[in-house]
Amino acid sequence: MRYFKSQFMLVAVSLCVLIASFVLSMFAPLGLADRGVPPAASNNVAGNENRLTAYETVATHWSWQRGEAKTETMSLTEQDLVKYPFTPQSVFDALHAVKLDADGNVILDHDALISLDETLERIHNRLDENTVSVLVNLIHQSLSGQAGLQLGELVENYYYFLEAKEVFSRVNEDILTKQDVDPLISIEQDEGLYAELQALREVYLGSDVTANLFRVSDANAQYMFESMKLEATQNLTFQEREQKRKDIHAQYIAQSVNVLNWPVRYSTFLSAKQAITSSSIDMQEKVKQVHALLSQHFSPEELTRIEHLKLNEI
């Protein structure tokens, strides 16, 4: 799907999203958004009732013998490719870590977002509709089946999103400099701009795609806003402030960790852990069961990545 293929159509988007894209650089992903691609996991969870999502990556299925695309036939000779700001190698390097589920579908997560940025962020100003078609066709030829079609469409839509973001940033470059002197109001204004940025994403990528791609980034932004608002709020007791800080941190952890299907799996784990810790068994048995519970819900590689959360503590 292609949106707004001319400057006229870009500007025609509601003015409420014009200022959104300019704040994109203000809200870069923070520490917990590290990129890591552990091997496919197939452990069982919750008494063998659910299976951890198994996945491979684009690297596993990428073909260096480029055949005909399943969509639009286009010959990509080495002579043709020198005209473009990308090569088969650079495209592979950018996209190789994108995950594929057991059915061969592209998994939309923070790693996929990083791959999209690596593919397009530095070169989108050197692309146009024709060269994007070449890029998408290269993906189709190198990654067969629905994964190639899905990833090609995602790259194309993300290109048009980046184009719109840049246009809106230029149009509204001076707006962010006009901030209210009241810190809390200024923070709320920034938060409103970020909400408009989320709306802009949805115009080009769709709501479901946006929610999955930007889960970690949005959690980081929300944590920043809530923490800044807490610091700017004066009429709180020490106890109220500390409780609010704990609540903000808990919500952040529930959304921000870059582990596959983290929000659902984390919530399920916490519920099972609560049942153990509130039971009448002795402490040694509780520790043993919680340790076993962690291994049921998360793969060894994932446990290493979330070790800092200390989920084994009673």
Side-chain angles (χ1 to χ4, degrees):
M1 182 181 299
R2 299 175 182 175
Y3 298 95
F4 304 97
K5 297 182 181 178
S6 69
Q7 294 296 318
F8 175 80
M9 296 182 73
L10 285 173
V11 176
V13 178
S14 174
L15 181 62
C16 69
V17 299
L18 292 180
I19 56 178
S21 56
F22 187 72
V23 298
L24 181 62
S25 59
M26 298 171 55
F27 308 114
L30 305 178
L32 288 182
D34 57 306
R35 182 176 186 175
V37 184
S42 58
N43 296 350
N44 291 331
V45 298
N48 294 324
E49 293 178 0
N50 299 302
R51 189 168 65 87
L52 293 180
T53 301
Y55 65 88
E56 293 179 325
T57 66
V58 164
T60 308
H61 296 273
W62 191 268
S63 173
W64 292 100
Q65 300 297 321
R66 299 188 301 277
E68 288 189 352
K70 294 182 179 297
T71 54
E72 176 186 355
T73 301
M74 182 179 296
S75 176
L76 297 177
T77 66
E78 294 303 320
Q79 290 83 357
D80 291 330
L81 288 171
V82 298
K83 299 183 298 185
Y84 307 115
F86 55 83
T87 67
Q89 184 66 55
S90 70
V91 175
F92 171 81
D93 290 343
L95 297 175
H96 74 278
V98 173
K99 303 183 188 74
L100 306 178
D101 67 18
D103 296 319
N105 297 300
V106 171
I107 294 175
L108 302 173
D109 65 356
H110 188 71
D111 291 329
L113 176 61
I114 292 175
S115 293
L116 288 170
D117 282 331
E118 290 181 354
T119 304
L120 294 170
E121 189 70 46
R122 292 186 296 273
I123 68 170
H124 77 91
N125 288 331
R126 300 163 60 192
L127 299 174
D128 56 24
E129 185 173 334
N130 291 331
T131 52
V132 169
S133 294
V134 175
L135 173 59
V136 170
N137 197 60
L138 172 61
I139 294 170
H140 290 164
Q141 292 180 355
S142 302
L143 187 63
S144 63
Q146 60 189 0
L149 297 176
Q150 291 170 357
L151 191 55
E153 180 180 21
L154 183 61
V155 167
E156 183 177 32
N157 289 345
Y158 200 75
Y159 162 76
Y160 285 110
F161 162 68
L162 291 178
E163 288 290 283
K165 182 192 74 174
E166 185 171 279
V167 172
F168 298 150
S169 297
R170 288 198 304 266
V171 171
N172 299 278
E173 190 170 3
D174 296 330
I175 291 181
L176 285 176
T177 62
K178 300 176 181 178
Q179 295 290 334
D180 195 281
V181 293
D182 184 289
L184 189 57
I185 294 178
S186 294
I187 296 166
E188 290 173 347
Q189 289 174 342
D190 288 340
E191 191 172 18
L193 292 175
Y194 192 82
E196 300 298 343
L197 170 61
Q198 292 171 312
L200 180 67
R201 296 172 187 157
E202 292 184 7
V203 170
Y204 290 90
L205 301 170
S207 57
D208 290 340
V209 171
T210 298
N212 289 312
L213 277 180
F214 291 93
R215 171 177 61 82
V216 172
S217 297
D218 286 346
N220 288 330
Q222 189 63 33
Y223 178 77
M224 179 184 68
F225 288 131
E226 294 299 329
S227 298
M228 292 171 64
K229 286 192 291 186
L230 179 60
E231 293 304 315
T233 302
Q234 302 298 323
N235 59 341
L236 293 176
T237 66
F238 176 80
Q239 291 79 8
E240 290 172 336
R241 189 175 299 277
E242 288 304 301
Q243 183 59 53
K244 183 66 174 176
R245 184 173 288 111
K246 289 179 181 178
D247 293 342
I248 292 171
H249 186 261
Q251 179 62 31
Y252 175 60
I253 296 301
Q255 293 294 325
S256 67
V257 177
N258 187 25
V259 165
L260 198 61
N261 298 329
W262 171 258
V264 172
R265 293 168 61 194
Y266 178 61
S267 176
T268 303
F269 165 79
L270 288 183
S271 296
K273 179 181 177 181
Q274 179 62 37
I276 293 173
T277 57
S278 61
S279 67
S280 59
I281 60 178
D282 61 43
M283 181 59 67
Q284 185 176 3
E285 183 62 22
K286 288 181 180 179
V287 171
K288 180 180 177 181
Q289 290 191 21
V290 168
H291 181 77
L293 187 67
L294 275 168
S295 297
Q296 291 171 355
H297 281 264
F298 303 104
S299 70
E301 293 81 9
E302 290 170 335
L303 287 174
T304 298
R305 297 176 65 189
I306 62 176
E307 186 176 7
H308 64 284
L309 299 180
K310 299 180 180 180
L311 298 181
N312 60 322
E313 293 184 354
I314 304 299

